[in-house]
Amino acid sequence: MIDIRKLSKSYGSFQALRELDLEIAGGTVFGVVGANGAGKSTAFSILATLLPPTSGDAFIGGSSVRTAAADVRKKIGYMPDFFGVYDQLKTDEYLDFYAASYGIDVRQRQVLIGQLLELVNLEQKHDAYVDSLSRGMKQRLCLARSLIHDPEVLILDEPASGLDPRARVEMREIMKRLKGMDKTVLISSHILPELAEMCDEIGVLDRGRLVARNSVREIHTRLKGDRVITVKLNGSPDLAVRFFEERPFISAIRPDSAGEITFSFSGGEADQAELLSAAVSRGLGIRSFSEEETDLEDVFMAITKEGAEQ
Ligand SMILES: Nc1ncnc2c1ncn2[C@@H]1O[C@H](COP(=O)(O)OP(=O)(O)O)[C@@H](O)[C@H]1O
Ligand SMILES: [Mg+2]
């Protein structure tokens, strides 16, 4: 549905996008994660036909952003990463203004606006001034606006930025609804866990290049899988290494010179308790026995690296 081919963008001598290639299947919620300055907004503005690429092209449902911008605009809804100022406009008036600008009939508009406000959980606020809404509400209103012409593809630049956890949960629910409506959604963020909550797949943008891509399901499977355990010992690790080698669920034992041993453990919590008590009764001189926090970013980068090596 979205097909980005060797897309490059330079601002003067600075290359913000470097031959970006990315294909996204219809119905996917795809997250682009990258530090500030990675090129997310640049890529999204090009997809939204608001910025011309320096070279390369991108296709939305087969239409080129270079040569068929008008077609692309019909197919996409775009939410920029900043809001304007809405002098004295109420929520429903705001949506009505945009619906009118899309040429939607006045009678249809009322029904449509009701549906959109319901979709983004703002029915209660239809009569509120936009300026009085919270950040999360404004973001959802902006999302409703991007849906007015029922586009197949949504391009959302940092829709969850600055939201508190509760507002993020709400945003995630809305993403699910959009997925249920069979929309293809492209979302950016500079925070990976925030994106992982909402997306099916994630790509990492680094200095204008896509350096990694993976499904969120795979990341979660890995997170739930093996944990890494570190054991600190008094004295030589040799005896302990032999002990751990003979135990079930243990692999990749790595002793270090400081008398510390790290290994992967695939057993459950009861197995882990059993292991610790066995190690203690063996008199291995254990000072500490701890489970490393598995970090989402670490797992993501590890899987991605494996993928690249294949
Ligand atoms: N209009 C512009 N003129 C010059 N440089 C720009 C312009 N817009 C963005 N840049 C630069 O391009 C890089 C990518 O920016 P951007 O696409 O906004 O990244 P992101 O959205 O990932 O933070 C940044 O280094 C930014 O400073
Ligand atoms: Mg940006």
Side-chain angles (χ1 to χ4, degrees):
M1 178 58 78
I2 301 176
D3 189 2
I4 301 175
R5 290 196 207 152
K6 295 217 175 321
L7 196 66
S8 296
K9 177 70 189 178
S10 299
Y11 297 107
S13 61
F14 177 76
Q15 254 201 309
L17 284 183
R18 301 157 189 259
E19 303 206 331
L20 179 67
D21 279 311
L22 179 61
E23 256 183 85
I24 299 169
T28 308
V29 180
F30 192 97
V32 175
V33 66
N36 288 328
K40 303 179 296 294
S41 295
T42 298
F44 284 21
S45 308
I46 293 174
L47 291 174
T49 74
L50 298 173
L51 188 70
T54 307
S55 64
D57 204 348
F59 301 84
I60 307 280
S63 307
S64 154
V65 296
R66 298 189 83 116
T67 60
D71 293 337
V72 170
R73 279 181 212 151
K74 280 183 208 140
K75 293 179 191 175
I76 63 153
Y78 169 64
M79 177 173 158
D81 59 350
F82 60 88
F83 313 102
V85 184
Y86 321 94
D87 291 321
Q88 300 297 307
L89 264 188
K90 290 183 175 176
T91 302
D92 49 13
E93 293 166 346
Y94 173 82
L95 289 177
D96 191 66
F97 170 79
Y98 281 95
S101 70
Y102 273 106
I104 295 166
D105 181 79
V106 78
R107 275 157 305 170
Q108 282 178 347
R109 284 198 317 248
Q110 229 179 348
V111 179
L112 175 67
I113 289 167
Q115 287 168 343
L116 287 173
L117 288 176
E118 196 184 323
L119 179 73
V120 300
N121 301 337
L122 283 177
E123 313 96 295
Q124 315 285 348
K125 293 284 178 184
H126 73 96
D127 208 20
Y129 283 103
V130 176
D131 280 328
S132 74
L133 301 179
S134 70
R135 186 182 172 101
M137 290 175 187
K138 278 186 190 157
Q139 240 131 320
R140 296 197 317 265
L141 178 62
C142 216
L143 180 64
R145 185 193 85 188
S146 71
L147 282 159
I148 276 182
H149 54 304
D150 194 23
E152 299 160 69
V153 174
L154 281 169
I155 296 170
L156 313 175
D157 201 356
E158 308 242 8
S161 83
L163 299 189
D164 59 38
R166 194 197 157 96
R168 287 218 308 267
V169 169
E170 212 160 352
M171 194 53 98
R172 184 175 63 198
E173 286 307 309
I174 296 169
M175 290 304 139
K176 271 195 207 147
R177 288 180 203 162
L178 293 176
K179 202 174 150 56
M181 293 160 71
D182 224 22
K183 308 257 181 226
T184 308
V185 188
L186 190 57
I187 312 179
S188 69
S189 171
H190 55 283
I191 303 163
L192 178 60
E194 180 180 289
L195 269 188
E197 286 174 0
M198 304 182 193
C199 300
D200 306 316
E201 266 192 271
I202 298 217
V204 181
L205 195 64
D206 180 34
R207 282 164 287 176
R209 281 199 184 90
L210 195 76
V211 294
R213 170 181 186 159
N214 227 301
S215 77
V216 170
R217 190 188 302 166
E218 169 88 14
I219 300 170
H220 281 298
T221 308
R222 294 295 184 99
L223 269 180
K224 283 196 207 114
D226 288 10
R227 49 196 114 187
V228 173
I229 291 176
T230 301
V231 182
K232 290 184 182 158
L233 302 155
N234 258 341
S236 152
D238 296 350
L239 194 65
V241 168
R242 258 176 279 141
F243 167 80
F244 289 122
E245 272 170 356
E246 283 163 16
R247 299 286 309 187
F249 309 118
I250 292 179
S251 61
I253 303 176
R254 299 173 295 274
D256 77 1
S257 51
E260 207 174 289
I261 300 175
T262 306
F263 53 81
S264 298
F265 187 72
S266 60
E269 281 169 7
D271 304 315
Q272 191 174 324
E274 218 278 301
L275 173 69
L276 175 59
S277 87
V280 171
S281 10
R282 186 65 70 90
L284 298 177
I286 292 180
R287 268 195 299 133
S288 85
F289 183 96
S290 60
E291 191 184 322
E292 267 174 34
E293 281 286 322
T294 333
D295 182 50
L296 183 63
E297 325 243 339
D298 290 347
V299 175
F300 185 83
M301 290 320 283
I303 312 171
T304 307
K305 226 165 142 196
E306 282 167 29
E309 279 160 10
Q310 274 162 18

